[in-house]
Amino acid sequence: MCSDRNGQHPLGAIVCMKVGDKERLVRCERNQNITSWRVLSEGCPTAAVAPGQTARPDGAQNVRL
């Protein structure tokens, strides 16, 4: 398990972690019997919908991943 301010995550979990003013996509991994976060990319993926369209038929708002 890897820990962050939101709790614990199992090995293989991928989360968006904010450190200071930067966001990084990280994965929980084990290295020599110690769990740690491995940076996969700078920034985190987001989802968007073209202007004038809704993401869902019920009109729910877009959310950041």
Side-chain angles (χ1 to χ4, degrees):
M1 301 289 273
C2 293
S3 298
D4 69 3
R5 67 176 116 185
N6 295 318
Q8 293 195 348
H9 306 274
L11 289 174
I14 297 174
V15 300
C16 179
M17 185 177 288
K18 186 170 184 175
V19 179
D21 62 345
K22 294 185 178 185
E23 291 182 334
R24 294 184 173 111
L25 194 62
V26 296
R27 178 175 48 223
C28 177
E29 295 186 352
R30 183 188 324 258
N31 187 3
Q32 296 183 356
N33 245 4
I34 298 173
T35 57
S36 62
W37 293 107
R38 177 174 177 239
V39 176
L40 301 176
S41 67
E42 295 296 321
C44 297
T46 59
V49 176
Q53 296 184 2
T54 58
R56 296 176 15 191
D58 64 7
Q61 297 292 315
N62 295 334
V63 293
R64 184 129 194 243
L65 298 175

